[in-house]
Amino acid sequence: MNNRSILLSASLVGLLVSVLANCGTGGGANGNPDGGSTTTGTTTGTTTAAMNATTTGTTTTGTTTATTGTTTTTTTTGTTTATTSAATTGTTTTTTGAEAGATTGTEGGTTTGTDAAAAGTTAFSSDRVVVTGVRGTATPTAQTIINLHNAGQTSEQVTGFSLSGTNASLFTVATKVPATIAPGADLQVTVDMTTTGTGLPAMPPGPAPYNSGSNLLTATLTAALGSGSAQASVYGLLLVQNNYEPTLGQILTTLGYDLNVGQAQNDWNPNTSMNAADLPGVEANTDEVAAPSFVKATGAASVTMNVVARFSPEGILPYGWYPSSAMAPASNETKIAGAMTVGTMSMVTDAQTSNKARMVYPPPVAGSATSFDPGTTAFGIWVYSDQFSEMWNEGGKPANGNYDYSQNALNTDNAANTPAVVNRIKAYPLKDATGTLIPQSYLIAVEEAGNGDYQDYVFVLGNVTVAP
């Protein structure tokens, strides 16, 4: 072969390599359905994760699909799909939607941004898990579940679990090891919290009923894997007794939000008069903003609304939105005209959580939604508290009415002469654990009675701004 032939052959080989590098399943920005992108060097494909959740009873089954693609000038990596399904009884897995790609696990845990499964490694489905229990209550066991997901292409070996940190001795892992997680599968990891015995911490500071009705426990969960390890933070809310509650500040710590909420930060009974008329308005020098009504931030997307905590008397209680221009009802004993229900908080037998009424991430009733579309209409938020009707015999105060509204003028009971200035719903621009603002998201904190703890019902709203 002469030099001319050698040069021609080399050119043909180079052309063939270039063509092959842009074929197969590759493309991304250049047509790759995997989401990868092609360059003349080595380019890591983009990773996308989508979650769809449907609720059945008090159980939500989540499906997560993660696709990654990597393309170089000589090789193309195919598509890896991981699908997981997890169903639990009496607990709930929720898609919050308040943050980009945020998901919440069974009674706790928030993964901010891209789902953990999309990382292409074995990892916990959430960066945190939360369990609530009552001091002195032995049965049922206070426990929660977090999924350990294998997003790889080969089986993962789980050789052990360990707990470390301040209160590690008060948590145990009930899941048996060794265990094998198939590619794309989950291992349900059950975390139990001790609620009896001599090893419990001292009561919270202050004389009864204490500054907080709960101890906040912390630990770190580590899974030992064949490929390395995975970690998640563990939080426990150990209630002094079944009708005592944590502060809003403690709840925010378990959720991974860093907010200054004023009087309710470190006190679960800051309004010592217990009268609704004495509840604070918008508190200065806090993160609270005046937000009687909201508007949708992005027209193409829906507003998301998720219950992230509930510490109230038990009952099956609906919540939703209403046009802020709707005609006011005669009193807060009745629902405002045009009010729309988004979801309903459930009541499921559980002595550790007052039948799911005192816990982080309370389960919704079947059919509850996590989003709604108000169009361009300014809207307010409402919650049914049952304080007046007492259908659930929880010891409510009739003067507090049945409905709590984000517009203070609606929080009045003419018959009981309740003042029309009661600030029952507080709003805070949402911040993550580092104090970084989460765009177009707000924490909504509701006070149904008069003690001012503002953690009776806690929601996260997404894709909203305060109405002008």
Side-chain angles (χ1 to χ4, degrees):
M1 182 178 294
N2 58 33
N3 293 338
R4 186 186 185 97
S5 299
I6 292 172
L7 291 171
L8 179 59
S9 297
S11 298
L12 289 173
V13 170
L15 177 61
L16 179 59
V17 169
S18 178
V19 170
L20 288 174
N22 289 278
C23 294
T25 58
N30 300 315
N32 185 351
D34 289 353
S37 49
T38 305
T39 67
T40 57
T42 300
T43 302
T44 302
T46 57
T47 302
T48 59
M51 171 165 285
N52 294 305
T54 55
T55 304
T56 304
T58 58
T59 300
T60 300
T61 301
T63 301
T64 303
T65 302
T67 304
T68 63
T70 303
T71 305
T72 70
T73 56
T74 57
T75 59
T76 300
T77 302
T79 302
T80 300
T81 303
T83 304
T84 64
S85 297
T88 58
T89 303
T91 53
T92 302
T93 302
T94 310
T95 303
T96 67
E99 301 142 38
T103 61
T104 57
T106 307
E107 207 204 318
T110 302
T111 302
T112 304
T114 307
D115 191 281
T121 60
T122 299
F124 286 108
S125 59
S126 169
D127 67 350
R128 65 193 58 232
V129 64
V130 186
V131 58
T132 303
V134 179
R135 184 184 290 260
T137 299
T139 56
T141 302
Q143 64 180 205
T144 190
I145 295 171
I146 185 172
N147 287 331
L148 184 60
H149 181 68
N150 179 9
Q153 296 181 344
T154 60
S155 295
E156 179 71 85
Q157 301 301 312
V158 184
T159 58
F161 294 103
S162 62
L163 288 154
S164 59
T166 304
N167 305 113
S169 63
L170 296 178
F171 297 98
T172 56
V173 178
T175 302
K176 303 300 182 184
V177 287
T180 301
I181 312 176
D186 279 348
L187 175 67
Q188 287 191 337
V189 181
T190 301
V191 179
D192 296 346
M193 183 176 72
T194 301
T195 54
T196 60
T198 58
L200 299 182
M203 292 287 190
Y210 312 103
N211 295 336
S212 171
S214 171
N215 294 95
L216 175 60
L217 311 179
T218 61
T220 299
L221 170 64
T222 301
L225 311 170
S227 62
S229 63
Q231 286 190 334
S233 297
V234 180
Y235 294 92
L237 291 171
L238 180 63
L239 309 184
V240 171
Q241 59 189 51
N242 66 354
N243 63 343
Y244 275 40
E245 299 167 357
T247 67
L248 180 55
Q250 289 176 318
I251 294 168
L252 294 178
T253 297
T254 70
L255 292 169
Y257 300 137
D258 181 19
L259 294 171
N260 179 350
V261 294
Q263 296 180 17
Q265 193 87 36
N266 301 308
D267 194 338
W268 74 298
N269 287 299
N271 186 28
T272 56
S273 76
M274 299 294 175
N275 293 319
D278 297 326
L279 289 172
V282 176
E283 297 179 63
N285 302 315
T286 71
D287 287 322
E288 185 182 3
V289 297
S293 58
F294 296 88
V295 291
K296 187 165 63 167
T298 303
S302 294
V303 172
T304 57
M305 184 178 188
N306 293 277
V307 188
V308 294
R310 174 189 179 184
F311 286 85
S312 71
E314 65 183 42
I316 300 174
L317 309 178
Y319 55 88
W321 66 279
Y322 64 93
S324 57
S325 59
M327 181 177 296
S331 76
N332 60 357
E333 297 169 15
T334 57
K335 187 162 57 175
I336 192 170
M340 304 296 293
T341 298
V342 174
T344 303
M345 291 171 277
S346 67
M347 186 167 66
V348 180
T349 301
D350 179 19
Q352 297 287 3
T353 62
S354 297
N355 297 333
K356 304 299 182 182
R358 290 183 170 94
M359 64 184 294
V360 174
Y361 298 115
V365 167
S368 294
T370 58
S371 64
F372 62 92
D373 191 348
T376 59
T377 301
F379 63 90
I381 300 299
W382 66 268
V383 185
Y384 177 77
S385 69
D386 197 45
Q387 285 273 309
F388 178 83
S389 297
E390 294 194 78
M391 294 172 58
W392 310 106
N393 298 315
E394 80 280 11
K397 185 176 180 180
N400 291 325
N402 277 332
Y403 291 89
D404 303 320
Y405 296 102
S406 57
Q407 290 176 295
N408 293 349
L410 302 179
N411 296 319
T412 180
D413 184 335
N414 293 339
N417 296 315
T418 300
V421 293
V422 178
N423 188 26
R424 291 202 173 276
I425 295 183
K426 290 177 172 285
Y428 308 86
L430 197 60
K431 299 177 183 178
D432 65 17
T434 69
T436 301
L437 194 68
I438 301 173
Q440 301 173 353
S441 300
Y442 287 78
L443 186 93
I444 304 299
V446 184
E447 172 56 54
E448 67 162 12
N451 62 324
D453 54 15
Y454 285 93
Q455 36 72 310
D456 295 310
Y457 321 109
V458 183
F459 301 88
V460 169
L461 283 183
N463 188 32
V464 296
T465 59
V466 176

